[in-house]
């Protein structure tokens, strides 16, 4: 089982002391990447909920330890070199943020008193998020003292000197001066700075008493000399207030404790990134525009790194002054060469799903799979397709589909609605839609792409504007063996495209050029066509015309047969491998999965299930579906979705597993030579099933394998073993062990498993076989047990 | 994959019109590119041109027979309208002209039966009067020819079905009279390898090969074309002749005794004239560069590659064509039409080729100057020291690092980049390219700025927009966008349009063109209604 596709940008990453590693929070694990290659080196596993912060213990190069906090209520101490966990503190409350002041500041100070390390944590006690103190060295309990309660988990920001701790709370900024000598009882002094807008981010100056904050309108406020009265004056502030009345404190609001406040405004949307440069001369800021702005602190002059292409989230300075990181909302972490503001390298995660459903109702957002090379193609926000290697868990490359630059702040006017790959992965079809302005100027564009055999990159082969007049394309399907494709439209027709070779003589040399041309057009009673598929040998084309399935000869374009009727329109079609069965899926009020026998031209069996995705093996008659479970069943299945594996001849599933976040998910069988990438128990697996969920996290497993054998992954740079533990259950919860199978398999299974009667009655009622059948199986399993004991 | 290409590199995408589908027919072959690279000029205001011929000697002037005049043109002259020499001493229409092999004498025959020889090598005044007047034909002369390898003889033939060979130096009576043809003799050609043999073609469908040394009026070889023969030509090797008659051009092998080699049936009407053309490239294989150019009354000039038996190029002219000639230096191709226009195709030769050839020849005799061979080493005191190596050509093994290609931006692109949307729209509307206008409009739509632009146009610019819409809103390629836009414009700017007379006129025109389009659509639908049942019936069978 291989997991991947994690979000790299849920929390700020951290550098190791020698700058050669970057620690990135990836869900429940911490992944360690190399800065020189941008590839993953190792990972820290153990947390059972998303990791929220990573703090590397400052030391010389040799020792590399770090603290992590997580929503699972633990704080763990890791040795990075091994890598394994050293210590685990159980707080019992989810931790949203953690800072350790003693790691910062001057080194001799930390060396002198190695008594105990204190951390400030933001924990949830059941009612609100509280900021508390926690002794990490001699841990007994989280400190009783609550510095502040907030409604939402606010990130704790600590000044680079380690003297001040700050949080934002709506329009206010709370700053504590931390006691020089930490103890359980030491109390921090607090001041509050006010603003009229909600503050989104704050940052402390490395040396001076200056704090910068960004607000939702894009303004940056800089308070200089904060806390002059309270923090510096030990005698209290009563007598100073009267003196201050006459003083000039430009820009400071409500008698706040600061000397001056200045405002800079460049960002048009909320500021999400603020960071001072280590020498304190510059301030980095960024926001939704995807532009990194470098402010000269004295003069307010700006320098820009434009067109990063995605909202910026975090900016991390490394101990090496020439290297820093930017985390972007599109799951990319860019390594920045600081003085020249130049992106050197990127850690490329899978791009997050788009949220275009409200813009265009026909948007599918389904990923396409290249089953032979183990790539998944997903639409990206910047009008492109990202090819993501499932086995290596990293982005391979991107193809720009629309010739446009993406600006994150702009409205969406162009989107890639469909992407489809041919079976051998050599051809890609994309559909892009230009949304009309006030009803005019919308364009639908179908593009065919060819894979360059040398560079393994797709390049555009043919562009077809408005292939079905002005109607949207609902589906594109490729012929399994030949260079033929079909596109269906909501307007009630489908077109078959073929690729023709052309010879063009140019400057004496012969160039082979190929172009896609319309070969045939078909329609059935002007019904909207929403899905199409070719049979495994390519001799039959099935097109779903509203609620019926039409079968065509793709070469002669002759309607061969019309099959059946479903209660609601069919949205997806697939042939069950090489078998004579065709699957249809309809959504709506009466969702249905139907299996049609092509020899009888009639329905073989059906389920009333809302099926989100379906995929079939190429060579056998097995297929897998991803079904959304009704909400009432969620508790029973520990997940709101279920993957069922069927043999097309039999309505009883062969295997099942429950999953989370199935909405917008996809399934595919990966095939081909995986000997380089993955091995199950020493022998090459026949088939692997990949499930990618709505958040584009994916898991690859062998669906036929009941035990959950370990699948060791050999990466190019480092061998990474995902050992023992059925890692799947740690992310999606324990698997319910119900196996609804046909009698024969069940009897075989019962001898293998120890307590089969537990599994027999699990499952939803509509999928349970009749009780009479179950009873005999149940008794049989008991008998089997007895004999096993007797032997 | 050490470094994935960074996806968000700053890129510029110029706003371009949508690509049109490429034609399914193949692109131009290099040969047809060659033949269409002749730059056409016209010589007009003549009466029909039955004969054209090139002087074999440089500068390869050509003589054109038209009405009772022969004009000699020098193709190097730039406006070709005026001839260098005009010969008017004819009593009737001139039917045929021919240069002697050195280009100094010209023989011409007219319909009165007279054959005259002129001196065209010297001044134009000398050519006014004939050197010889050869009168023997009693019917119109249709064919006069100076043999390619004999300077003294002239061959003539005409409507009296007689072929006569004259000795120009000796006197005014024919040396030989060859009787054999049974109808008008219209054409002939002399062998390029033998001074004594020539062929003639006649309206009695036959082509006859004559030998002057045999005086018994019996042709050496006789070939039956099957149609009245309009033109015959020897191919350069001398073993094959091409004959034109009816709609076909036939090729005969003389060495095999007059065997038909192949027949080219590309013309739709009578083929009137033939000539041999050469692809004037400095290509090393001489074998494959001769072509037969044929012209016909259907207005087509066809280029036939007799080696591969293929028509390699075809070109249409707007008149019936009567004669064709191709200059020996491959620079000029002339075609005469029946309505008195000569189409002169001139090929632009690169100046360097000519100059380079000449200088090399001269260098052969001279010693090269020393500077050229020895490379000069510049010192830092010399200004060229700082420019050295800038124009150096890369040698074969060098690793080239190209300068990144600059994206060419149009004016409208620059305006769009500066977000000056309205100005960009007006700029393309003032331009002549409807594709650009539509592309800019689509770009504005995707920026959601088109409506804003249109509502901000002032009256003058609105007129511009309306003119554009009237012209192009019914063009199928643009109508998807423009029809909706037209409606929107009318809704948005109804007050201004009501207020201005000029705008109202445009709207009237617009309405008319839309109505016209509706009519067309309706009739098309009617036709479809007629055809579709027929197709259905045809499909059933």
């Amino acid at each position: 089982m291989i997991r991947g596709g994690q979000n790299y940008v849920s929390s700020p990453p951290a550098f190791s002391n020698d700058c050669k590693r970057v620690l990135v929070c990836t869900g429940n694990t911490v992944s360690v990447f190399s800065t020189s290659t941008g590839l993953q080196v190792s990972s820290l596993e153990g947390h059972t909920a998303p990791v929220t912060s990573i703090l590397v213990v400052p030391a010389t190069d040799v020792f590399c330890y770090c603290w992590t906090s997580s929503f699972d209520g633990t704080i763990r101490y890791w040795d990075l070199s091994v890598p394994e966990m050293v210590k685990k503190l159980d707080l019992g409350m989810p931790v949203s943020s953690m800072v350790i002041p003693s790691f910062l500041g001057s080194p001799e100070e930390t060396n002198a008193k190695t008594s105990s390390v204190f951390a400030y944590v933001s924990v949830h006690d059941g009612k609100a998020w509280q900021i508390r103190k926690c002794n990490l060295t001699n841990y007994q309990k989280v400190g009783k003292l609550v510095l502040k309660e907030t409604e939402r988990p606010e990130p704790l920001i600590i000044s680079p000197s380690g003297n001040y701790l700050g949080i934002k709370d709506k329009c206010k900024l709370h700053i504590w001066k931390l006691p020089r000598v930490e103890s359980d009882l030491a109390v921090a002094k607090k001041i509050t700075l006010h603003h009229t807008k909600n503050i989104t981010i704050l940052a402390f100056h490395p040396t001076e008493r200056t704090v910068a904050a960004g607000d939702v309108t894009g303004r940056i406020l800089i308070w200089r000399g904060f806390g002059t009265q309270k923090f510096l004056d030990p005698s209290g502030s009563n007598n100073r207030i009267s003196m201050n009345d006459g003083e000039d404190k430009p820009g400071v609001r409500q008698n706040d404790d600061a000397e001056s406040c200045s405002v800079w405004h460049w960002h048009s949307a909320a500021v999400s990134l603020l960071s001072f440069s280590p020498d304190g001369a510059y301030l980095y800021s960024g926001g939704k525009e995807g532009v990194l702005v470098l402010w000269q602190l004295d003069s307010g002059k700006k320098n820009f790194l434009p067109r990063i292409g995605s909202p910026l989230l975090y900016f991390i300075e490394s101990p090496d002054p020439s290297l820093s990181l930017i985390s972007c909302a599109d799951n990319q972490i860019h390594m920045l060469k600081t003085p020249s503001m130049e992106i050197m390298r990127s850690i490329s995660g899978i791009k997050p799903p788009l949220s275009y459903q409200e813009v265009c109702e026909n948007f599918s957002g389904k990923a396409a799979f290249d089953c032979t090379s183990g790539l998944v193609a997903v639409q990206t926000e910047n009008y492109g397709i990202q090819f993501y290697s499932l086995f290596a868990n990293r982005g391979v490359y991107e193809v720009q589909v629309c010739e446009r630059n993406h600006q994150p702040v702009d409205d969406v006017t162009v989107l890639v609605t469909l992407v489809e790959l041919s079976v051998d992965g050599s051809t890609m079809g994309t559909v892009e839609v230009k949304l009309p302005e006030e009803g005019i100027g919308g364009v639908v564009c179908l593009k065919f792409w060819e894979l360059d055999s040398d560079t393994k990159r797709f390049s555009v082969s043919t562009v077809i504007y408005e292939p079905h007049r002005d109607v949207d394309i609902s589906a594109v399907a490729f012929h399994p063996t030949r260079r033929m494709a079909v596109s269906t439209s909501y307007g009630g027709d489908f077109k078959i495209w073929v690729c023709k070779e052309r010879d063009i003589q140019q400057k004496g040399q012969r160039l082979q050029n190929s172009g896609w041309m319309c070969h045939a057009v078909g329609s059935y009673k002007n019904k909207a066509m929403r899905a199409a598929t070719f049979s495994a040998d390519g001799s039959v084309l099935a097109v779903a015309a509203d609620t019926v399935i039409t079968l065509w000869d793709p070469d002669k374009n002759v309607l061969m047969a019309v099959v059946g009727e479903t209660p609601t329109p069919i949205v997806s079609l697939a042939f069950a491998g090489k078998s004579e069965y065709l699957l249809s899926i309809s959504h709506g009020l009466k969702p249905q999965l139907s299996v049609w026998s092509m020899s009888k031209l009639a329905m073989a069996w059906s389920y009333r299930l809302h099926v989100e995705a379906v995929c079939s093996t190429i060579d056998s008659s097995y297929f897998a579906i991803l079904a959304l479970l009704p909400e009432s069943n969620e508790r029973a299945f520990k997940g709101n979705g279920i993957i069922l594996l069927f043999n097309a001849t039999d309505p009883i599933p062969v295997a099942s597993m429950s999953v989370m976040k199935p909405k917008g998910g996809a399934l595919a069988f990966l095939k081909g030579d995986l000997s380089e990438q993955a091995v199950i128990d020493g022998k090459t697996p026949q088939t692997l099933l990949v499930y990618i969920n709505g958040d584009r996290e994916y898991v690859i497993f062998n669906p036929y394998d009941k035990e959950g054998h370990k699948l060791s992954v050999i990466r190019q740079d480092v061998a990474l073993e995902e050992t023992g533990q059925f890692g799947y259950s740690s992310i999606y919860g324990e698997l319910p062990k119900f196996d609804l199978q046909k009698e024969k398999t069940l009897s075989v299974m019962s001898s293998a498993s120890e307590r089969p009667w537990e599994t027999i009655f699990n499952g939803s009622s509509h999928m349970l076989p009749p009780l009479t059948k179950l009873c005999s199986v149940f008794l049989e399993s008991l008998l089997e047990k007895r004999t096993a004991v007797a032997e | 994959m050490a470094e994935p290409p960074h996806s968000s590199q700053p890129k510029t995408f110029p706003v371009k019109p949508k690509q049109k589908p490429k034609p399914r027919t193949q692109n131009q072959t290099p040969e047809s590119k060659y033949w269409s690279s002749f730059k056409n000029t016209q010589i007009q205001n003549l009466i029909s041109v039955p004969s054209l011929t090139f002087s074999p000697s440089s500068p390869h002037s050509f003589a054109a027979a038209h009405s009772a005049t022969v004009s000699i043109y020098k193709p190097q002259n730039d406006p070709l309208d005026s001839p260098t020499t005009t010969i008017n001493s004819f009593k009737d229409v001139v039917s045929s002209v021919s240069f002697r092999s050195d280009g100094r004498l010209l023989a011409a025959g007219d319909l009165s039966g007279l054959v005259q020889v002129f001196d065209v090598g010297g001044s134009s005044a000398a050519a006014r009067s004939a050197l010889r007047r050869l009168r023997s034909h009693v019917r119109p002369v249709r064919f006069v020819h100076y043999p390619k390898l004999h300077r003294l003889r002239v061959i003539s033939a005409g409507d009296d079905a007689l072929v006569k060979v004259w000795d120009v130096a000796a006197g005014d009576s024919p040396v030989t009279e060859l009787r054999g043809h049974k109808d008008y003799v219209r054409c002939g050609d002399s062998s390029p390898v033998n001074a004594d043999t020539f062929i003639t073609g006649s309206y009695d469908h036959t082509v006859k090969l004559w030998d002057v040394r045999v005086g018994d009026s019996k042709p050496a070889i006789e070939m039956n074309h099957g149609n009245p023969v309009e033109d015959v030509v020897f191919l350069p090797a001398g073993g094959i002749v091409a004959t034109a008659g009816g709609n076909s051009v036939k090729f005969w092998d003389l060495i095999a005794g007059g065997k038909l080699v192949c027949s080219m049936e590309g013309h739709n009407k009578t083929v009137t004239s033939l000539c041999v053309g050469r692809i004037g490239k400095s290509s090393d294989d001489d074998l494959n560069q001769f072509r037969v150019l044929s012209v016909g009354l259907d207005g087509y000039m066809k280029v036939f590659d007799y080696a591969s038996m293929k028509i390699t190029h075809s070109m249409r002219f707007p008149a019936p064509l009567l004669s064709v000639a191709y200059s020996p230096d491959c620079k000029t191709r002339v075609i005469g039409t029946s309505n008195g226009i000569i189409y002169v195709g001139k090929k632009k030769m690169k100046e360097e080729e000519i100059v380079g050839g000449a200088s090399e020849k001269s260098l052969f005799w001279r010693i090269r100057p020393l500077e050229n061979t020895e490379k000069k080493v510049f010192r830092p005191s010399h200004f060229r020291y700082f420019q050295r190596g800038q124009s150096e050509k890369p040698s074969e093994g060098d690793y080239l690092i190209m300068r990144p290609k600059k994206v060419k931006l149009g004016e409208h692109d620059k305006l769009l980049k500066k977000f000056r949307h309205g100005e960009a729209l007006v700029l393309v509307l003032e331009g002549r390219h409807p594709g650009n206008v539509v592309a800019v409009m689509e770009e504005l739509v995707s920026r959601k700025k088109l409506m804003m632009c249109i509502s901000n146009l002032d009256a003058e610019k609105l007129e511009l927009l309306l003119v554009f819409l009237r012209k192009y809103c019914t063009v199928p390629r643009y109508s998807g966008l423009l029809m909706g836009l037209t409606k929107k414009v009318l809704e948005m700017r109804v007050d201004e349009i009501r207020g201005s007379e000029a705008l109202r006129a445009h709207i009237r025109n617009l309405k008319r063109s839309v109505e016209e389009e509706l009519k067309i659509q309706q009739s098309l639908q009617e036709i479809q209604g007629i055809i579709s049942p027929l197709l259905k019936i045809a499909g059933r069978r």
Side-chain angles (χ1 to χ4, degrees), chain A residues 37 39 307-309 334 343-346 351 394-396 398 400 403-405 411-414 434-435 437-438 440-441 443 465 503 505 517, chain B residues 1-8 10-13 16 18-19 22 24 26-27 30 442-451 481 484-485 488:
Chain A
T37 59
L39 300 176
R307 300 201 196 181
I308 298 172
H334 301 299
I343 290 174
M344 296 193 297
R345 208 164 287 116
S346 299
K351 297 247 174 153
R394 60 164 183 254
V396 181
E398 263 181 63
Q400 185 83 23
E403 291 199 324
R404 293 191 71 76
N405 280 315
D411 293 345
V412 176
T413 55
V414 179
K434 260 191 190 173
L435 299 175
E437 182 191 7
E438 296 187 24
I440 62 165
V443 176
Y465 294 103
D503 285 339
Q505 275 187 334
M517 268 187 274
Chain B
M1 193 229 46
E3 197 170 333
H6 186 234
S7 58
S8 46
K11 271 178 256 163
T12 329
F13 300 110
K16 285 175 294 191
K18 283 179 196 167
Q19 287 174 322
K22 282 178 196 140
R24 289 196 191 187
Q26 281 200 344
N27 276 8
E442 275 170 356
E443 175 62 26
L444 291 178
V445 164
S446 55
R447 295 183 185 196
K448 301 209 165 152
K449 289 289 184 293
L450 183 60
M451 291 305 131
L481 171 71
L485 181 68
K488 213 90 201 179

Side-chain angles (χ1 to χ4, degrees), chain A residues 86-123:
Chain A
V86 180
K87 196 159 82 174
K88 172 180 161 187
L89 313 178
D90 200 346
L91 271 65
M93 292 180 279
V95 184
S96 74
S97 182
M98 174 174 77
V99 291
I100 301 176
S102 61
F103 286 177
L104 304 157
S106 47
E108 68 270 22
E109 198 179 344
T110 52
N111 287 344
K113 304 181 190 70
T114 48
S115 56
S116 50
V117 177
F118 281 86
Y120 287 85
V121 290
S122 171
V123 293

Side-chain angles (χ1 to χ4, degrees), chain B residues 110-172:
Chain B
D110 62 21
L111 297 191
S112 66
L114 186 65
V115 177
Q116 303 181 69
V117 178
F118 303 93
D119 178 7
V120 293
S123 65
S124 61
R128 297 275 157 76
S129 59
L131 295 178
R132 287 279 186 281
R133 293 167 166 269
L134 310 172
R135 179 170 289 284
S136 164
H137 285 285
V138 289
R139 302 288 301 274
V141 171
R142 294 288 184 175
F143 158 62
V144 173
H145 185 76
Y146 255 115
K148 284 168 193 148
L149 298 177
H150 208 292
R151 286 192 171 198
L152 302 178
R153 284 187 198 137
V154 164
I155 308 157
S156 71
D159 287 358
D160 51 7
L162 295 175
V163 180
K164 299 189 180 188
V165 182
W166 310 79
D167 191 334
V168 180
D172 295 351

Side-chain angles (χ1 to χ4, degrees), chain B residues 349-368:
Chain B
M349 282 284 176
K350 282 178 193 145
E351 290 295 321
E352 308 95 280
E353 275 180 32
I354 302 155
V355 173
S359 66
E360 210 167 292
K361 235 176 242 172
S362 57
L363 272 179
F364 185 75
W365 296 110
R366 276 191 294 147
I367 300 161
R368 269 171 194 270

Side-chain angles (χ1 to χ4, degrees), chain B residues 212-258:
Chain B
V212 186
R213 294 164 293 191
V214 184
D216 59 353
S217 280
K218 270 184 85 179
I221 298 170
E222 193 177 315
M223 293 155 281
N224 192 344
H225 184 89
N227 285 101
V229 180
E230 295 285 352
D231 203 358
V232 294
V233 69
F234 262 104
L235 298 186
I240 298 177
V241 288
T243 62
N247 299 349
S248 61
V249 177
K250 291 183 178 171
F251 293 84
W252 310 87
D253 190 348
L254 294 181
I255 297 162

